[in-house]
Amino acid sequence: MIHYILQTIACQLLFLLVYDLFLKKETFFNWNRLYLIATPVLSFLLPLIKIDAIQQSIPPEYTIQLPAVLIGNVASEELVATSNPSVLNLGWETFWILGVLISLTFFGYKLYKLFKLKRSGSTATFGKMHLVLLPKSDAAFSFFNTVFLGEKLSETQQKNILLHEKVHMEQRHSIDLLFFELLRVLCWFNPLIYVFQNRMELLQEFIADAGVASQKDKREYYQDLLSQVFHTEKISFINTFFNHSLIKKRIVMLQKSRSKKIFQLKYLLLVPVVCGMLIYTSCAQETKSEDTAVVADFQKGDTSQSEIISNIEALKESIAAKGNLTPEEEIALKTLVVLTSDKGMGDIRFDAVKDSIELPFGVIDKVPIYPGCEGLANEATKKCFIEKISAFVGDNFNVKKLDGSGLSGRQKIVTTFIINNKGEVVVKEIKANHPALKAEALRTLQQLPNMLPGEHEGKKVAVQYNLPIIFEVAE
């Protein structure tokens, strides 16, 4: 998911650069409006398109590898243990949902402010337009078919503003801004969405100004803009008549001659941009964790055929050169045969190698059942297993035993253990930068209880589980 988000942001950045460099100064307002709406949507779709023909035509050395960011990964849970043992197991999904809820709260507050303003004024209706006169105010803005005007504005100013806001209403500009407001809620972490909305807000002012200027003298209109400074409510999805940061750009655009039609060819820049992004998304490969890579290879056969064949050829040469195999090598070879057999665990060689077969936690049909997780569906059992393991290590990892080791600050231990086909926990590997860390991790993992063994294709097999442990050592 992190990889997808990065690709989406890269697409949006490229589209914005094309707009700012080549399109925003042109008077093709409707085309630019379509561009600003379509390209963010396209940015979400392009990373999902993977064209195999493109990927196969690009040499492997030119493919892009991005580092994986594992947060709450099923096969590799990060654990925090402190001197007051507690486990922090919040994934990026929780963080995103929290941001969405905060963004929705702000959006609701903006709607409340708008509703409050509407209630505070007197309302009149002129055809499809609803006019709200705000007492003791010089505000001027619109939302859908409702125009808000301050009573302090003169009759001439109100007339100009109504002409301007009528264009916003007829063009349904509020829908565009609400579209970006929704994107801001869902993609609150992405600053480019705010840039897109800002570009759309300015473009809508250009469209409205052009509409009014076609009905009255252009010079008279922009002189009216300069003659009065209006106070405006700062709500991101309303169309404001006057904005200090936009007024100069609006006047410059009013004075600008219409762009020549030949310049519409600039929109053809989208073709190479989209093609380039398709090449990028088709060839970009996210670096996987060890377990994730095994899942992909085991379930989908994603490893390239040439790589597999070359490994087999190397194995054949090694066997031929050596002659007789040791018992351990023979078992390993039989295990490979069983795992690649069409019959799978039903192969006649399974009984001979059942104690040596180890499958990753992510691909097993039925994961090992931790005490207390009985009677659940497989996905629920996985979740329960992860939570129980994390809680157990968090409760039993004794940071105080590291006193005197000279360690301080944030530490990380990467552990790998097996739940064998009898349900026993066997520690396979511990990686740490200090012997004291390894010793405490080993002591903790050896206390894990026996479990009901995992099953694959109806056979009990050993299951490998990777568990990084992260904790703080007080100085």
Side-chain angles (χ1 to χ4, degrees):
M1 180 57 72
I2 299 298
H3 189 210
Y4 169 77
I5 292 173
L6 292 175
Q7 288 183 320
T8 299
I9 293 176
C11 290
Q12 291 175 353
L13 180 60
L14 188 56
F15 285 136
L16 274 173
L17 287 174
V18 170
Y19 180 81
D20 283 352
L21 292 176
F22 302 104
L23 302 176
K24 77 173 183 179
K25 293 183 179 180
E26 303 298 338
T27 61
F28 307 121
F29 299 137
N30 289 327
W31 280 99
N32 282 352
R33 182 185 179 188
L34 178 61
Y35 181 95
L36 289 176
I37 293 175
T39 50
V41 176
L42 199 58
S43 299
F44 289 107
L45 298 178
L46 283 175
L48 300 177
I49 302 174
K50 308 290 183 182
I51 302 177
D52 292 337
I54 294 178
Q55 187 175 19
Q56 293 171 5
S57 64
I58 302 294
E61 59 268 24
Y62 295 111
T63 58
I64 304 167
Q65 297 286 343
L66 293 181
V69 180
L70 300 177
I71 303 176
N73 184 277
V74 170
S76 182
E77 290 296 315
E78 288 206 345
L79 180 70
V80 175
T82 64
S83 56
N84 182 18
S86 62
V87 178
L88 179 62
N89 195 23
L90 298 177
W92 67 266
E93 297 94 340
T94 304
F95 187 60
W96 173 73
I97 291 173
L98 181 61
V100 169
L101 292 176
I102 294 174
S103 299
L104 279 175
T105 302
F106 279 110
F107 178 62
Y109 176 68
K110 294 174 186 177
L111 289 176
Y112 168 74
K113 286 178 65 178
L114 201 59
F115 176 75
K116 189 176 178 181
L117 281 172
K118 190 173 183 179
R119 291 287 299 270
S120 68
S122 57
T123 305
T125 302
F126 302 93
K128 294 182 180 181
M129 180 186 292
H130 301 289
L131 178 63
V132 179
L133 290 177
L134 303 175
K136 300 178 181 180
S137 173
D138 54 7
F141 61 91
S142 66
F143 182 63
F144 283 97
N145 61 342
T146 301
V147 179
F148 295 79
L149 289 180
E151 288 183 344
K152 292 183 179 182
L153 300 175
S154 68
E155 184 177 344
T156 302
Q157 292 164 355
Q158 289 183 2
K159 182 180 178 180
N160 288 335
I161 293 169
L162 287 174
L163 286 173
H164 181 94
E165 300 303 331
K166 185 179 178 181
V167 178
H168 284 312
M169 186 184 73
E170 292 174 345
Q171 295 279 340
R172 299 181 180 179
H173 286 169
S174 294
I175 295 177
D176 300 350
L177 296 182
L178 279 178
F179 167 72
F180 285 107
E181 199 70 20
L182 176 61
L183 289 184
R184 281 175 58 168
V185 170
L186 297 176
C187 305
W188 53 267
F189 52 86
N190 182 3
L192 296 183
I193 297 299
Y194 299 78
V195 178
F196 268 104
Q197 188 179 41
N198 176 268
R199 298 293 187 274
M200 178 60 78
E201 180 185 354
L202 178 58
L203 178 64
Q204 289 181 353
E205 295 307 311
F206 291 163
I207 294 173
D209 287 339
V212 177
S214 66
Q215 301 176 45
K216 58 182 300 184
D217 182 72
K218 188 181 294 186
R219 180 179 294 275
E220 178 187 349
Y221 179 62
Y222 70 69
Q223 285 179 346
D224 288 340
L225 286 180
L226 290 173
S227 65
Q228 181 71 29
V229 176
F230 301 107
H231 169 71
T232 304
E233 289 290 333
K234 184 60 177 176
I235 300 176
S236 57
F237 51 82
I238 62 175
N239 297 110
T240 60
F241 177 73
F242 192 90
N243 186 315
H244 289 272
S245 63
L246 303 184
I247 190 65
K248 180 178 178 181
K249 297 176 182 177
R250 289 170 60 186
I251 292 176
V252 170
M253 186 58 73
L254 274 171
Q255 294 176 311
K256 188 176 179 65
S257 301
R258 292 181 61 87
S259 300
K260 297 179 180 179
K261 286 190 176 182
I262 189 67
F263 291 154
Q264 288 182 344
L265 292 176
K266 289 183 178 182
Y267 292 98
L268 292 178
L269 286 170
L270 270 178
V271 176
V273 169
V274 171
C275 290
M277 292 310 302
L278 283 175
I279 293 173
Y280 166 67
T281 57
S282 296
C283 298
Q285 300 175 357
E286 183 175 4
T287 303
K288 306 182 180 81
S289 66
E290 181 180 354
D291 278 352
T292 309
V294 174
V295 172
D297 297 343
F298 189 84
Q299 291 182 329
K300 300 180 182 179
D302 285 341
T303 303
S304 65
Q305 185 178 9
S306 59
E307 181 183 346
I308 294 175
I309 292 176
S310 63
N311 289 339
I312 291 175
E313 291 299 325
L315 178 61
K316 287 167 60 178
E317 291 179 8
S318 177
I319 293 173
K322 184 174 181 180
N324 296 330
L325 298 176
T326 65
E328 291 79 10
E329 291 170 338
E330 187 175 352
I331 290 175
L333 188 58
K334 288 181 179 179
T335 300
L336 178 63
V337 171
V338 170
L339 291 175
T340 56
S341 170
D342 291 338
K343 296 181 180 179
M345 302 303 162
D347 192 278
I348 58 174
R349 304 172 187 83
F350 175 78
D351 287 338
V353 296
K354 62 182 180 181
D355 293 332
S356 64
I357 289 180
E358 298 174 1
L359 295 181
F361 185 84
V363 304
I364 195 77
D365 287 346
K366 293 183 179 180
V367 301
I369 300 177
Y370 194 98
C373 298
E374 297 87 353
L376 301 176
N378 194 48
E379 288 303 316
T381 304
K382 284 184 179 181
K383 184 177 179 181
C384 182
F385 177 96
I386 293 169
E387 291 174 350
K388 293 283 188 180
I389 291 285
S390 298
F392 179 90
V393 177
D395 292 339
N396 290 274
F397 192 97
N398 191 348
V399 179
K400 292 183 179 180
K401 288 200 171 187
L402 302 177
D403 292 345
S405 63
L407 295 169
S408 63
R410 184 179 175 90
Q411 302 292 330
K412 181 175 181 178
I413 310 170
V414 180
T415 68
T416 302
F417 59 88
I418 307 296
I419 300 99
N420 65 22
N421 56 7
K422 297 181 180 62
E424 301 166 343
V425 175
V426 180
V427 180
K428 185 175 182 179
E429 184 179 25
I430 298 176
K431 294 180 180 179
N433 60 6
H434 194 283
L437 298 178
K438 292 184 179 182
E440 181 55 22
L442 179 61
R443 184 196 68 80
T444 302
L445 295 179
Q446 286 177 338
Q447 296 182 57
L448 282 168
N450 288 349
M451 311 174 201
L452 294 177
E455 295 184 14
H456 195 76
E457 298 178 359
K459 303 288 187 178
K460 294 180 180 179
V461 295
V463 178
Q464 177 177 303
Y465 188 79
N466 295 339
L467 180 70
I469 305 174
I470 299 176
F471 59 95
E472 295 285 342
V473 179
E475 296 183 3

